[in-house]
Amino acid sequence: MSIPEINYWAVLAAVIASMVVGFVFYHPKVMGTRWMAAVGHTDASVSAGPKPWVYPSIMVASFVTAWVLAGAAWLAQEFYGGSFLVNALVTALILWVGLTASRFFVHDVFEPRGLRVTPYTLLNEFVTIMAMALAIGLLPPG
């Protein structure tokens, strides 16, 4: 049994990609205004900015996601062979559908606000995971 080979430069690039996706996605001229309305935020409620621990926490969570995705992509590469980029993207899609999308749906069904936020969350997570997979797939280990 071997330990997955992970290119930590790819993981770092994936973390940066996730942050870029977040900044673009939640910009008011992209999806930010719609998302704010769906979750009940106002300009006043977000004007103070996030708590100081939010961005470091997000970066740690993004690192963990990128690290797991890089390991899963390596496992897929070892099993299927072929293109590392394709394996990374397909693995990301499968993990997004099977773990992220399905779990967010189950969680949001029980939310008092219903499924109003779910499409925004799922779209953001899809774009984020695929951007991370692209970064990882373009920088294979070794």
Side-chain angles (χ1 to χ4, degrees):
M1 185 167 169
S2 60
I3 297 172
E5 293 178 32
I6 294 175
N7 180 346
Y8 284 95
W9 290 110
V11 171
L12 178 61
V15 170
I16 292 168
S18 75
M19 300 305 288
V20 169
V21 167
F23 285 122
V24 171
F25 187 88
Y26 290 109
H27 188 278
K29 292 186 179 182
V30 183
M31 297 299 260
T33 304
R34 292 181 191 101
W35 173 80
M36 284 175 53
V39 298
H41 272 305
T42 63
D43 288 336
S45 70
V46 296
S47 65
K51 305 260 189 277
W53 53 266
V54 170
Y55 286 116
S57 299
I58 291 170
M59 287 189 278
V60 169
S62 291
F63 175 84
V64 170
T65 301
W67 181 70
V68 169
L69 182 56
W74 182 86
L75 291 170
Q77 179 67 31
E78 288 294 301
F79 187 79
Y80 295 112
S83 166
F84 187 77
L85 175 60
V86 170
N87 281 317
L89 292 169
V90 170
T91 299
L93 178 63
I94 291 168
L95 293 175
W96 177 81
V97 169
L99 298 176
T100 303
S102 61
R103 298 314 310 159
F104 270 112
F105 176 77
V106 169
H107 176 270
D108 288 358
V109 165
F110 293 100
E111 277 282 322
R113 61 188 171 205
L115 298 175
R116 287 193 327 244
V117 180
T118 308
Y120 302 105
T121 303
L122 293 181
L123 180 59
N124 177 58
E125 289 298 318
F126 175 76
V127 174
T128 299
I129 295 293
M130 297 311 287
M132 291 175 120
L134 183 62
I136 290 164
L138 290 173
L139 296 167

